[in-house]
Amino acid sequence: MNELKKTYLFDFHNANGAKFVPFAGYSMPVQYKNGVISEHLHTRNKAGFFDVSHMGQIKIWSKNDNKEELIQNLERLMPCDLRNLKENRQTYTLFTNENGGVIDDLMISNKGSYFHLVVNASQKFEDFQHLKDNLSNFCNIEFEENKSLIAIQGPKSENILSDLNSKINSMKFMDVCNISFLNFDCSVSRSGYTGEDGFEISIENKNVFKLVDTLFKNSDLLPIGLGARDSLRLEAGLCLHGNDLNSEITPVEANLKWVIHKRRRDQNDIDLNFLGNKKILKQLKEGPENIRIGLLPIGKAPMRAGNYIYQDIEGKIEIGIITSGGYSPTLRQPISMGRIKNMNLENIENVYVRIRDNILPAKICKLPFIQTKYKN
């Protein structure tokens, strides 16, 4: 068995009473002393600190300083419009495969002379190889393993970081800029995975301890584990790769058609093609066979990933499956996301879900479950 890796902040988590679990090859904090619900609500009301250094940070730049060529080759792997992504801005996008499925979802930033990617921990080595296989003739591709990644999320996050550098106040949602904290150079994005206003900070490993120690002098900030990170993203209707996204599910089926930017939808222009674009653009026009939906269980029993969805209470007409589910501390009730046959969506409001030996009702609802609070 391979030994679990540790982030540079492992000792910090341990000192703060973290309970650890294996996740994507790392030993990661799932919760701290106060528990998942308390951490979740603290993030919604004040600010939560997340160590996401297990995720992959990748730098890509042209071998011959030809940014147009860099953009053209990157756009073959993802459906976003990098040509019109302004410097110091980022966008959410996907690596798609030849069948239109999702290899990974990620954030990509235009840093001027290069692009910076943040990819999922479970997929980062596959993503890196995918980039090398497709771009190594044109681009330099580098894992930034010398850097940690931390996130500050919640309504107090701007106040906490602006105490260290007031430049934070002028940033809008999806802005990215180089900022100095405690004379340490950092790359900061105004984004996150919670539905709250917040920031992600890329900083050299050797400097992360000092920054974290200074941040926690503010009593509004508490450390948050993977448990609350999952319930926060679920309330915000955000996808989890491996559950709501995988190599068999297209962006349209994942109800993410907005990630296929307008300029990339012209299938007749070969320069705008990306992997899987024929199937994806056909689904955009004709509709997909399956679609991601939100569900509010009627009752107290949570409906979790792997539970089957039926059109009838007898459980004879199977129409889909739960992909993510759990308890919402904000709404004080269970919530779920699932994938159902698209033809059923217009005809029904309620569905039925098998939980062990019971078939229980749920109501189809719009996503997200809570109102997001991004600073636009």
Side-chain angles (χ1 to χ4, degrees):
M1 180 180 293
N2 293 331
E3 185 175 350
L4 291 173
K5 297 178 182 178
K6 299 176 181 178
T7 72
Y8 271 70
L9 291 173
F10 179 87
D11 290 342
F12 163 84
H13 302 307
N14 199 34
N16 280 274
K19 177 182 178 181
F20 293 91
V21 295
F23 182 79
Y26 285 79
S27 182
M28 294 293 294
V30 66
Q31 67 177 71
Y32 297 84
K33 296 175 182 177
N34 292 332
V36 171
I37 292 177
S38 177
E39 292 171 27
H40 179 113
L41 294 174
H42 187 89
T43 303
R44 290 273 182 250
N45 294 316
K46 292 186 178 180
F49 169 88
F50 301 78
D51 178 14
V52 288
S53 304
H54 59 308
M55 299 181 73
Q57 299 187 68
I58 302 174
K59 179 181 179 180
I60 303 177
W61 69 103
S62 171
K63 285 186 173 180
N64 56 5
D65 294 324
N66 186 337
K67 192 165 184 180
E68 288 298 313
E69 183 182 63
L70 172 61
I71 289 172
Q72 185 176 3
N73 283 286
L74 268 173
E75 284 191 341
R76 288 192 293 108
L77 307 183
M78 55 188 75
C80 60
D81 181 359
L82 294 178
R83 191 174 303 280
N84 290 305
L85 181 65
K86 295 180 180 179
E87 189 171 339
N88 295 322
R89 291 284 292 170
Q90 71 174 2
T91 189
Y92 173 80
T93 192
L94 313 165
F95 284 138
T96 52
N97 60 30
E98 292 180 352
N99 297 317
V102 177
I103 298 172
D104 199 8
D105 61 330
L106 62 133
M107 303 297 291
I108 183 167
S109 305
N110 181 356
K111 300 288 286 183
S113 60
Y114 66 94
F115 285 94
H116 181 258
L117 283 64
V118 177
V119 300
N120 283 303
S122 61
Q123 295 296 106
K124 64 182 180 181
F125 298 112
E126 182 176 344
D127 292 343
F128 188 70
Q129 190 61 48
H130 182 60
L131 289 165
K132 286 181 65 176
D133 291 344
N134 287 278
L135 302 182
S136 58
N137 290 338
F138 313 98
C139 307
N140 296 302
I141 307 161
E142 176 186 318
F143 250 136
E144 295 193 306
E145 295 181 296
N146 65 322
K147 293 182 178 179
S148 293
L149 189 67
I150 60 175
I152 312 296
Q153 301 282 298
K156 300 287 188 179
S157 56
E158 181 181 278
N159 292 339
I160 291 169
L161 289 176
S162 64
D163 284 344
L164 302 182
N165 191 320
S166 61
K167 188 177 179 181
I168 284 291
N169 296 323
S170 62
M171 294 180 69
K172 304 295 185 184
F173 183 55
M174 290 296 192
D175 279 352
V176 181
C177 65
N178 295 326
I179 288 181
S180 175
F181 292 133
L182 308 177
N183 294 320
F184 302 141
D185 292 331
C186 305
S187 178
V188 181
S189 67
R190 194 159 199 160
S191 59
Y193 195 47
T194 64
E196 295 291 330
D197 182 25
F199 302 84
E200 294 192 347
I201 304 167
S202 175
I203 181 172
E204 288 189 23
N205 293 326
K206 64 182 181 181
N207 298 327
V208 69
F209 308 104
K210 181 77 176 292
L211 177 58
V212 169
D213 185 56
T214 301
L215 289 171
F216 273 91
K217 291 178 181 177
N218 191 311
S219 60
D220 285 334
L221 188 66
L222 287 181
I224 310 298
L226 292 178
R229 188 167 188 254
D230 189 58
S231 57
L232 288 159
R233 72 90 194 168
L234 180 57
E235 287 185 348
L238 301 174
C239 292
L240 174 65
H241 189 274
N243 286 49
D244 312 296
L245 298 171
N246 62 41
S247 60
E248 304 295 322
I249 300 171
T250 71
V252 184
E253 292 167 343
N255 214 346
L256 296 174
K257 61 183 180 182
W258 54 269
V259 306
I260 303 126
H261 292 172
K262 185 177 180 180
R263 176 177 148 267
R264 307 301 307 283
R265 297 188 180 199
D266 185 356
Q267 192 168 330
N268 296 319
D269 188 339
I270 193 170
D271 292 333
L272 299 178
N273 286 356
F274 55 91
L275 290 177
N277 71 301
K278 287 186 178 180
K279 180 175 181 178
I280 291 170
L281 296 181
K282 182 180 180 182
Q283 288 184 343
L284 271 180
K285 183 178 180 180
E286 300 176 2
E289 182 178 348
N290 300 289
I291 192 77
R292 179 172 63 104
I293 57 165
L295 286 173
L296 291 174
I298 299 172
K300 295 182 179 181
M303 297 172 176
R304 301 188 186 278
N307 294 149
Y308 289 103
I309 304 172
Y310 300 90
Q311 186 172 326
D312 60 314
I313 195 169
E314 292 80 19
K316 294 181 180 179
I317 307 173
E318 182 185 318
I319 59 172
I321 193 168
I322 300 293
T323 55
S324 285
Y327 178 73
S328 163
T330 304
L331 301 178
R332 298 182 180 179
Q333 67 176 83
I335 57 175
S336 298
M337 295 193 296
R339 191 169 61 255
I340 69 168
K341 295 183 186 300
N342 197 26
M343 64 180 182
N344 296 94
L345 193 56
E346 294 183 3
N347 303 324
I348 54 176
E349 291 184 3
N350 291 347
V351 295
Y352 302 88
V353 178
R354 183 182 296 277
I355 304 176
R356 294 180 291 275
D357 295 329
N358 299 311
I359 297 179
L360 303 175
K363 183 177 179 62
I364 295 174
C365 67
K366 292 182 179 180
L367 295 170
F369 296 99
I370 52 113
Q371 182 175 354
T372 56
K373 301 173 184 176
Y374 309 125
K375 183 178 179 181
N376 295 311

